[in-house]
Amino acid sequence: MARGLGSIAVLALAFTVALAADHSPLQDFCVADLNGQVMVNGFACKNPNMVQANDFYYSGLHMMGNTSNALGSSVTPVFVFHLPGLNTLGISLARLDFAPWGVIPPHTHPRATEILTVLEGQIQVGFVTSNPENRHISKTLNKGDVFVFPVNLVHYQRNIGNTYAVAVVALSSQNPGVIPIASAVFGSNPDISTDILAKAFQVSDDVISDMQLKF
Ligand SMILES: *[C@@H]1O[C@H](CO)[C@@H](O)[C@H](O)[C@H]1NC(C)=O
C-alpha cells in the first residue's frame, strides 16, 4: 500500500515537471469567456458556435507605448485578457517601447520563456542563471536580432541608443505573469520587515527604508 502511494507520488512529480509550460489544448480552441463565473486554471470556454474571428484578433501593436515614466519604457501586452482566443494555447505577445536609454528593469516571468526580436534601435539584454553560478549572460542586439530568455530566470532590457527603440516579444504562456524584482522585494504589500531585507542585502535599515519608500 505504502509502496503504491510512493509510486503515485513519483508519477505525480514527473507529471508536474513535464508541465513546465502551459497545458496542451484538448480541442481546436477554447476562446476565453472573460466574464465567466467558473473558476478553472485559465478561463472557461465560450460556446464554440458563438466564436467570431474577432475572438482571435487584436489590433493596436503599431502604436507606440507611452515611455514618459521613470524607467523610460513601456510594455503593451497581448495576453489572454486582451485576446481571448489565446486561452489554453500557451502563447502570447507584447510590444516593448524604449525612450533613449530606457530600461525594463530586472524581472522574471513565472510561467513563460520569452523570445525577443528587435524592430528598431539597439538594445542591451541579459539574464542571470540560478545558484550557485549566478552567471550573467548579456548581449547587445541590433535591428533584426533575436534573443531568448529561458523561463523563470531574472532578465532585463535596456535601450543603449539616443533614439527610440522597439522590440516584440513572444512568451510561452497565455498569461506569463511578471515579477519585477525591485517592486516585489521593496514594494510588497504589506512590507517585508526592514530588518529582514537589511540582513538579506547586507546594508543598514535606513538604506532599506529609502528603497521601500521608492516602491
Ligand atoms: C504619458 O504618460 C505621462 C505620465 O503618466 C502622462 O502625463 C502623459 O499625458 C502621457 N502621454 C500620452 C500621450 O498619453
Side-chain angles (χ1 to χ4, degrees), residues 6-19:
S7 310
I8 289 169
V10 167
L11 267 179
L13 183 64
F15 197 62
T16 308
V17 170
L19 292 177

Side-chain angles (χ1 to χ4, degrees), residues 104-109 112-116 123-131 133-141 146-158 181:
I104 295 179
H107 63 280
T108 74
H109 301 292
T113 288
E114 170 178 337
I115 184 165
L116 175 150
I123 296 174
Q124 177 192 7
V125 297
F127 66 82
V128 178
T129 68
S130 53
N131 280 5
E133 293 84 4
N134 295 138
R135 185 169 166 214
H136 178 199
I137 294 177
S138 78
K139 191 160 174 68
T140 298
L141 306 178
V146 174
F147 194 84
V148 65
F149 306 95
V151 62
N152 289 325
L153 299 186
V154 174
H155 61 281
Y156 64 85
Q157 294 100 359
R158 173 168 74 145
I181 305 305

Side-chain angles (χ1 to χ4, degrees), residues 66-69:
N66 184 347
T67 58
S68 299
N69 52 57

Side-chain angles (χ1 to χ4, degrees), residues 27-196:
Q27 51 205 24
D28 278 358
F29 52 77
C30 168
V31 170
D33 179 3
L34 296 177
N35 301 314
Q37 301 298 306
V38 184
M39 295 290 144
V40 291
N41 188 20
F43 290 96
C45 312
K46 264 173 95 162
N47 179 343
N49 297 325
M50 305 298 281
V51 161
Q52 307 287 337
N54 277 349
D55 289 317
F56 302 93
Y57 170 81
Y58 173 93
S59 174
L61 276 200
H62 60 295
M63 282 170 7
M64 190 179 168
N66 184 347
T67 58
S68 299
N69 52 57
L71 298 170
S73 66
S74 169
V75 177
T76 307
V78 188
F79 300 162
V80 67
F81 316 103
H82 319 101
L83 201 172
L86 288 178
N87 194 41
T88 74
L89 297 183
I91 195 166
S92 62
L93 197 69
R95 171 179 170 140
L96 313 183
D97 285 284
F98 301 84
W101 302 97
V103 167
I104 295 179
H107 63 280
T108 74
H109 301 292
R111 291 176 289 277
T113 288
E114 170 178 337
I115 184 165
L116 175 150
T117 309
V118 181
L119 300 186
E120 291 295 340
Q122 198 173 43
I123 296 174
Q124 177 192 7
V125 297
F127 66 82
V128 178
T129 68
S130 53
N131 280 5
E133 293 84 4
N134 295 138
R135 185 169 166 214
H136 178 199
I137 294 177
S138 78
K139 191 160 174 68
T140 298
L141 306 178
N142 294 296
K143 185 170 176 164
D145 290 352
V146 174
F147 194 84
V148 65
F149 306 95
V151 62
N152 289 325
L153 299 186
V154 174
H155 61 281
Y156 64 85
Q157 294 100 359
R158 173 168 74 145
N159 181 1
I160 51 168
N162 292 320
T163 58
Y164 278 80
V166 184
V168 167
V169 293
L171 299 126
S172 60
S173 170
Q174 65 180 38
N175 177 23
V178 60
I179 304 174
I181 305 305
S183 49
V185 173
F186 297 109
S188 67
N189 183 18
D191 282 347
I192 299 175
S193 295
T194 305
D195 58 317
I196 294 176

